[in-house]
Amino acid sequence: MTPNETSTQPSSPQSATKTSSRRASSASPEKPPGPLSITTVPSERETIKVNNANATDLKNACDDALKRYLSRPNLFKQIHLHTDVKLTLGWTSVFVAAATGLYGWKTEFEQAKPAVWAGFILYAILTTLQTLYAYFVEGDVIFIGRRKSFCKRIFTEKITISSRTVPVSSPAPIASPSNAPSYSLNITYLQSTSGGKSLLCKNRTQGSQEYSAFFDEKGVMAQETFERWVGELVEAAMEGKST
């Protein structure tokens, strides 16, 4: 199955969003509910306020809002594989360091040296693996979700989303939407059946929007605006078509 490339440009509240969609097939053969079809009660949202001069805070707020939005009932169940792997490596290295230190404290120096060296080397290997995993395997991925649906047959959907901050190309002395950093998403959507053995479709979409479209001058997040933008991108990936 050969992927085709098209461009997708979801509507945005303040500026045009540049997106592209690469499809492994035509539109998804099954049509499960998308994020926009499941409404969010405004009372369920908590006010989000960050320092809008800090791009890291802005990105983290958007990442967290995206996870909450797509993890709602009837949408995707978040998979914490990357977090679990990093936690396992991290805690294992802590236990190795603690055991090595305890052994070295209770044992004569000369007798303990081989074991202490072994513990030190193992600790260094574990922390190095954790760093390499975060950089090369996890990368910019912030959300992996899976959902099983039934529409004439049982099929599985998997969505993987990566995010990053796109800095301004040429900083200006006065901040404005035209020179503000942007929030960029890359979305990969897979739909399969027979336990993942039969691929029904594989679509990719990407889009970016200035942070100023989602946060006001006080740093308060316009969650409904952000969720609508994310929902349009996700549904564009699910349907494999331009919007």
Side-chain angles (χ1 to χ4, degrees):
M1 194 175 296
T2 304
N4 299 319
E5 295 190 357
T6 61
S7 62
T8 175
Q9 189 167 351
S11 58
S12 58
Q14 295 187 10
S15 65
T17 300
K18 296 181 180 179
T19 61
S20 66
S21 173
R22 183 169 58 193
R23 299 180 292 167
S25 66
S26 58
S28 171
E30 314 290 357
K31 295 183 179 180
L36 295 177
S37 64
I38 301 175
T39 58
T40 300
V41 180
S43 60
E44 295 178 353
R45 299 190 183 100
E46 296 182 0
T47 301
I48 299 175
K49 185 176 182 180
V50 299
N51 177 8
N52 57 10
N54 189 320
T56 300
D57 288 350
L58 293 171
K59 180 182 181 302
N60 290 339
C62 289
D63 289 347
D64 291 341
L66 181 148
K67 294 172 188 176
R68 287 193 298 270
Y69 180 61
L70 295 181
S71 298
R72 292 175 299 156
N74 299 321
L75 285 176
F76 299 95
K77 180 180 179 180
Q78 185 173 3
I79 301 172
H80 301 278
L81 173 63
H82 295 318
T83 301
D84 293 342
V85 171
K86 290 189 297 180
L87 284 175
T88 300
L89 291 172
W91 278 109
T92 303
S93 65
V94 169
F95 289 141
V96 168
T100 301
L102 182 62
Y103 179 78
W105 179 60
K106 289 190 172 184
T107 310
E108 292 292 334
F109 177 72
E110 291 298 328
Q111 182 182 352
K113 278 202 305 186
V116 170
W117 271 109
F120 172 76
I121 293 172
L122 181 57
Y123 174 81
I125 291 174
L126 289 171
T127 53
T128 301
L129 286 175
Q130 185 184 34
T131 302
L132 293 175
Y133 183 90
Y135 186 81
F136 290 104
V137 180
E138 181 182 28
D140 296 327
V141 174
I142 60 164
F143 183 85
I144 301 176
R146 181 176 285 122
R147 172 173 67 174
K148 287 189 176 181
S149 304
F150 179 79
C151 183
K152 299 180 180 179
R153 54 180 168 177
I154 298 175
F155 60 94
T156 301
E157 302 166 274
K158 181 180 178 182
I159 187 168
T160 303
I161 302 179
S162 302
S163 74
R164 65 188 182 93
T165 295
V166 180
V168 294
S169 55
S170 56
I174 301 177
S176 67
S178 61
N179 62 27
S182 299
Y183 184 66
S184 176
L185 292 180
N186 285 275
I187 302 174
T188 300
Y189 173 81
L190 302 175
Q191 192 180 104
S192 60
T193 187
S194 302
K197 296 179 181 178
S198 178
L199 182 64
L200 300 178
C201 72
K202 179 179 180 180
N203 304 325
R204 289 191 177 97
T205 300
Q206 67 177 25
S208 63
Q209 182 64 277
E210 291 83 5
Y211 284 114
S212 57
F214 308 132
F215 296 89
D216 63 17
E217 58 184 10
K218 296 181 179 179
V220 178
M221 187 178 192
Q223 297 180 61
E224 186 175 355
T225 301
F226 176 78
E227 291 170 0
R228 183 169 60 251
W229 178 72
V230 171
E232 289 174 351
L233 282 176
V234 170
E235 292 196 358
M238 292 173 64
E239 298 174 5
K241 67 179 183 179
S242 301
T243 58

